[in-house]
Amino acid sequence: RSKDLGRNSYEYFSSDMSTSSFENMLMLNRLQQAAQNHEFVAYYQPQIELRSQKLTGVEALIRWKHPEMGLIPPGNFIPLAEESGLIIELGEWVLREACRQMRLWLDHGVKIHYIAVNVSARQLADKNFVQIVRSALNNAGIDGHYIELELTETLVMREDYYAKMIDDLKALGVQISIDDFGTGYSSLARLKQLPIDTLKIDMSFIRGIPEDENNTNISRAIVNLAKGMNLKVVAEGVENETQAKFLMHYGCHLVQGFLYSPPLPAQELGDWINARKAEEIPQYNTAP
Ligand code: C2E
Ligand code: MG
Ligand code: MG
Ligand code: MG
């Protein structure tokens, strides 16, 4: 017995794997506390229609406002939240927060037509998911079309269960988008069957425009595929004018990226909208 214990504790603290699982345990504990202490915040990144250069909607992106460490990006905690199942709770919080924010924007006449919310595989696998979405919409008093749910392709393509669930979600009026399109597994036949509204071209392809021939061709092919299927297409991670020009030339509908704005807290997004409005207004006030 003591020998077992000795070996276990040795393994626990010495091998890389065990050290990282120990750290994960501490981290998970802190994540759970963070949820209780309301340390999560939703940031919002604009999506812009290329032709008109007008703001259409935003994507909600979660951040952890740690009291000592400051703002922690989702890449540092979402994987663990997914692994542990905490993402179900966290994802529900983001969804409810987005619905609440949409209500506020509607009440204040802010012209944002939808909020896109990321949904993880674990949330979608939860039997209560449709009910949670319905309740989030009802509590905020907003119509379904104000929310777009971002799903990942591999998951959705794989099982009939998800096709049924997407039908149920569509019945609530929400829009469905496929995030990071092109990086997972998709059957084009299946894509055609599912009631999807939007494809989001993964950032890794956009980054290659125009120097990387493969990524440039893939980006253009996805735009054409989407348009051929009557889907809305969003390019994410647009960082410079050259990329925007190429995407415009391909006929890509929407863009999202640092060229326009990073994800911002709701208040700052309001300032960003006002600043853009001011830019459009000719300056006559200096005339005599
Ligand atoms: P995503 O859903 O594909 O979100 C796009 C990511 O690209 C965001 O990173 C955004 O800040 C970043 N981004 C946007 N424009 C640019 C750009 O021009 N250049 C570069 N380099 N990056 C850009 P973020 O906020 O760190 O989120 C990373 C990922 O974490 C998201 O990827 C999503 O998969 C996940 N995530 C974020 N919030 C949530 C959430 O509420 N629930 C779930 N399940 N996952 C989330
Ligand atoms: Mg997303
Ligand atoms: Mg994405
Ligand atoms: Mg991504």
Side-chain angles (χ1 to χ4, degrees):
R1 220 177 227 289
S2 69
K3 191 181 158 204
D4 283 351
L5 187 68
R7 185 168 63 215
N8 285 343
S9 53
Y10 172 79
E11 280 174 1
Y12 203 76
F13 293 108
S14 297
S15 83
D16 284 353
M17 263 302 283
S18 303
T19 307
S20 82
S21 73
F22 181 68
E23 278 172 3
N24 279 351
M25 198 179 72
L26 290 180
M27 175 78 163
L28 182 58
N29 202 297
R30 276 199 236 127
L31 266 180
Q32 280 158 339
Q33 277 175 3
Q36 275 156 24
N37 298 343
H38 309 288
E39 290 172 9
F40 292 103
V41 227
Y43 274 45
Y44 299 93
Q45 186 177 34
Q47 287 184 357
I48 284 122
E49 189 185 44
L50 264 173
R51 258 175 204 281
S52 64
Q53 292 289 306
K54 287 221 163 90
L55 173 69
T56 54
V58 295
E59 177 178 7
L61 294 153
I62 195 172
R63 269 99 185 89
W64 177 5
K65 230 174 196 167
H66 192 282
E68 284 103 40
M69 291 188 280
L71 216 58
I72 304 176
N76 294 15
F77 61 89
I78 290 284
L80 183 62
E82 282 184 342
E83 201 181 298
S84 64
L86 186 68
I87 192 68
I88 294 181
E89 194 184 317
L90 228 53
E92 178 173 346
W93 177 82
V94 178
L95 177 67
R96 289 186 183 279
E97 182 64 13
C99 291
R100 190 189 65 82
Q101 187 60 59
M102 193 68 229
R103 179 75 261 163
L104 284 177
W105 282 332
L106 285 169
D107 291 345
H108 291 91
V110 179
K111 288 206 177 65
I112 293 174
H113 302 302
Y114 57 88
I115 302 181
V117 177
N118 291 283
V119 178
S120 95
R122 289 291 283 264
Q123 284 174 274
L124 214 59
D126 178 9
K127 283 194 300 291
N128 298 318
F129 185 65
V130 176
Q131 183 48 41
I132 287 169
V133 176
R134 182 182 295 120
S135 139
L137 294 169
N138 287 344
N139 279 354
I142 60 166
D143 282 347
H145 70 266
Y146 289 114
I147 296 295
E148 180 165 83
L149 299 175
E150 295 195 358
L151 318 179
T152 53
E153 58 183 326
T154 306
L155 175 81
V156 168
M157 296 297 154
R158 216 171 259 165
E159 287 170 53
D160 288 334
Y161 170 79
Y162 295 112
K164 166 80 175 79
M165 172 160 276
I166 294 174
D167 280 338
D168 293 345
L169 290 169
K170 288 296 295 182
L172 298 178
V174 299
Q175 302 175 64
I176 304 290
S177 136
I178 304 293
D179 202 357
D180 307 334
F181 187 78
T183 59
Y185 160 85
S186 264
S187 144
L188 297 186
R190 196 149 173 78
L191 196 62
K192 180 78 190 153
Q193 286 165 0
L194 295 170
I196 287 163
D197 302 282
T198 309
L199 295 184
K200 292 190 80 176
I201 309 172
D202 192 68
M203 193 150 55
S204 59
F205 304 124
I206 306 301
R207 197 171 291 149
I209 300 174
E211 297 87 4
D212 183 307
E213 205 184 330
N214 283 336
N215 287 334
T216 303
N217 288 336
I218 291 169
S219 301
R220 183 173 43 214
I222 296 176
V223 171
N224 288 333
L225 174 72
K227 296 182 80 165
M229 294 171 79
N230 276 319
L231 302 176
K232 200 170 76 173
V233 58
V234 185
E236 60 179 352
V238 178
E239 293 186 349
N240 58 57
E241 293 286 357
T242 311
Q243 292 163 350
K245 279 196 185 110
F246 272 79
L247 289 161
M248 174 96 108
H249 180 66
Y250 303 156
C252 181
H253 304 123
L254 302 170
V255 282
Q256 180 183 341
F258 294 166
L259 176 61
Y260 306 93
S261 170
L264 298 169
Q267 174 66 48
E268 285 174 41
L269 182 74
D271 298 342
W272 180 88
I273 292 171
N274 290 334
R276 267 172 72 96
K277 259 192 217 136
E279 263 175 39
E280 286 166 15
I281 299 167
Q283 304 287 304
Y284 295 127
N285 48 352
T286 52

